[in-house]
Amino acid sequence: MRIAMVSEHASPLAVLGGVDAGGQNVHVAALAERLAARGHAVEVYTRRDDRRLPQRVPLAPGVEVVHVPAGPPRTLPKDDLLPWMPAFAAVLAQEWADPQRRPDVVHAHFWMSGVAALEAGRATGVPVLQTFHALGAVKRRHQGDYDTSPSERLAVEASLAREVDLVIATCSDEVAELSATGAGPRRVRVVPCGVDVEHFTPHGPALARTAPSRLVSVGRLVERKGVDTAVRALPVLPGTELVVVGGPPAAGLHRDPEALRLTALAADLGVADRVRLVGRVEHADLPAVYRSADVVVATPWYEPFGIVPLEAMACGRPLVGSAVGGLLDTVEEGRTGALVPPRDPAALAEAVQPLLEDRRRRERWGRAARARAVARYGWDRVAAETEAAYADVLTRQGRAVPARTPLDEPLEAL
Ligand code: UDP
């Protein structure tokens, strides 16, 4: 199959841990690679946000990243990108007008990619699948006036959900949210995000400890990730340190507003000596950080999916997190972790404490978490389910499902 992915702001080549670079970048890169490994040819279209970027960059065997000139060739906040989507669509439509370059399916990631993919797909007869990654209605509910998304977002998402050929939701909570937009069950299928279970493993080096017990939090350093909930839990968890990964590299933390807020909060609560903000950590180095944890905590206000809990599970660590979004599916309560209401430090401490006091239970939950990550969330299974979704769309439309393309056949020869 020839597969186009559109990920307008989240390039699979981007650095992780910045304000706008997170799970979507990881997801698109891993999914593209695993689909290619299954014998498909994948092109990932992303906005050209630096004039030095070549038009095409190989990402992995069978995967190319295509930089689309749409808007100024510099980094823009994702909330400013909507006006450039018609230009993005025009580039796609022009490319796909040539039957030699036309994909069998296009899979859009995030709502604005859907705008471009649907326009180009309809103009050239390419079926469109949509993964939202996050929904504007949920963001608006939680962030209210702080939500900087374009005002059109909710209406555009609702119409995309009704118009694309299939919505791929990442968790059951998203299916419930989508039904409110009129996208019934036949239009939506759940395929979760995945985790690299060969990279994130329980065995290997672990970051050194500086206290008897350790909690680890990993994620973009933005308020809605709720790291302050973990800081607020510390006063009743003596002997426990909290390692916070994310945000700018360590040298830039003193200028980062969320880092400053968390540092001030820790000082107010008298726990500054037990909160360690380490800044951005390369994806490659993260397993050692997860492994150093007794318990990984993830306490967002809301979470469309949450790859961090999966990474923690794959590293064999129990997770205590907010009972929201994707965590409701990924965390098996009382077996791999515990779920607590968001923004509730007392509930978090109450769930974490018995785990910190019981090494056996931590090990048992950690083993179950690893097994669950491998069995359900390995990228091979996620890629196979995504491939099946593409094939179903083609079949439903009476189209042939193309055979896999051998990897050694160059893209140009297709
Ligand atoms: N991440 C990273 N380094 C950091 C912070 C985060 O590599 O310093 C990665 C993290 O390992 C995970 C992703 O960024 O793969 C975050 O994904 P998640 O779905 O948890 O949250 P999002 O950022 O999409 O809201």
Side-chain angles (χ1 to χ4, degrees):
M1 221 183 278
R2 189 171 175 136
I3 299 160
M5 294 206 186
V6 179
S7 182
E8 76 330 346
H9 71 281
S11 169
L13 301 166
V15 185
L16 294 169
V19 171
D20 275 348
Q24 189 180 329
N25 307 65
V26 175
H27 181 99
V28 171
L31 184 59
E33 282 173 33
R34 297 303 166 110
L35 284 166
R38 295 177 64 79
H40 303 291
V42 187
E43 287 171 310
V44 183
Y45 293 87
T46 192
R47 205 180 71 84
R48 180 168 167 254
D49 60 5
D50 185 331
R51 63 175 74 252
R52 290 164 300 184
L53 287 171
Q55 197 203 351
R56 286 176 175 267
V57 180
L59 178 72
V63 187
E64 273 196 323
V65 176
V66 185
H67 290 116
V68 175
R74 58 183 158 82
T75 308
L76 293 176
K78 66 173 183 280
D79 291 331
D80 293 351
L81 294 178
L82 186 62
W84 305 108
M85 289 305 112
F88 201 119
V91 173
L92 297 179
Q94 195 183 15
E95 184 137 332
W96 301 345
D98 174 358
Q100 297 294 315
R101 305 215 66 83
R102 191 176 304 152
D104 298 300
V105 291
V106 53
H107 184 174
H109 296 266
F110 204 58
W111 69 284
M112 284 182 287
S113 300
V115 171
L118 191 64
E119 196 175 319
R122 291 294 179 254
T124 55
V126 179
V128 182
L129 293 94
Q130 170 75 33
T131 296
F132 284 104
H133 290 276
L135 287 171
V138 180
K139 189 171 185 189
R140 181 66 51 85
R141 192 180 309 141
H142 290 277
Q143 298 206 347
D145 291 345
Y146 291 104
D147 178 9
T148 51
S149 305
S151 55
E152 301 91 325
R153 178 170 178 179
L154 272 63
V156 173
E157 284 182 345
S159 77
L160 278 173
R162 290 190 301 268
E163 283 177 43
V164 296
D165 297 291
L166 188 69
V167 176
I168 298 187
T170 56
C171 65
S172 29
D173 188 55
E174 191 184 344
V175 178
E177 293 286 348
L178 282 165
S179 68
T181 67
R186 235 184 95 74
R187 306 195 46 71
V188 184
R189 171 183 296 205
V190 177
V191 181
C193 296
V195 62
D196 183 342
V197 292
E198 282 115 48
H199 178 57
F200 291 98
T201 66
H203 308 292
L207 201 72
R209 293 275 190 97
T210 45
S213 299
R214 174 178 285 184
L215 305 178
V216 165
S217 157
V218 176
R220 287 175 296 129
L221 219 48
V222 292
E223 204 180 349
R224 76 108 172 143
K225 289 287 183 182
V227 180
D228 61 329
T229 302
V231 175
R232 288 179 208 276
L234 282 186
V236 291
L237 298 170
T240 305
E241 62 180 345
L242 170 68
V243 172
V244 180
V245 172
L253 282 173
H254 65 284
R255 285 189 305 271
D256 182 272
E258 180 65 0
L260 292 172
R261 191 178 75 92
L262 293 171
T263 308
L265 176 67
D268 280 355
L269 295 170
V271 294
D273 57 330
R274 292 193 280 129
V275 176
R276 289 178 54 197
L277 273 68
V278 298
R280 174 182 305 155
V281 171
E282 290 290 319
H283 213 55
D285 299 328
L286 271 176
V289 184
Y290 286 119
R291 285 183 204 125
S292 76
D294 292 302
V295 177
V296 177
V297 290
T299 48
W301 303 348
Y302 65 97
E303 191 59 86
F305 182 79
I307 291 182
V308 161
L310 283 192
E311 293 170 348
M313 287 165 66
C315 286
R317 290 298 176 272
L319 185 114
V320 178
S322 302
V324 297
L327 280 80
L328 296 167
D329 289 358
T330 49
V331 177
E332 213 179 323
E333 283 219 73
R335 229 176 72 81
T336 71
L339 294 174
V340 295
R343 308 196 206 214
D344 189 338
L348 177 67
E350 210 173 301
V352 162
Q353 193 155 26
L355 272 171
L356 293 180
E357 287 166 0
D358 186 345
R359 183 171 60 85
R360 287 240 171 105
R361 192 194 306 179
R362 286 201 306 275
E363 286 171 359
R364 208 168 52 243
W365 286 18
R367 276 196 302 275
R370 168 72 190 172
R372 183 170 170 76
V374 171
R376 180 66 195 97
Y377 298 103
W379 275 113
D380 287 333
R381 174 162 175 186
V382 171
E385 290 179 9
T386 307
E387 178 189 303
Y390 298 162
D392 272 9
V393 166
L394 292 171
T395 308
R396 268 195 221 173
Q397 298 186 353
R399 302 179 192 231
V401 179
R404 293 177 185 176
T405 312
L407 267 183
D408 51 3
E409 207 173 317
L411 283 179
E412 284 69 25
L414 298 175

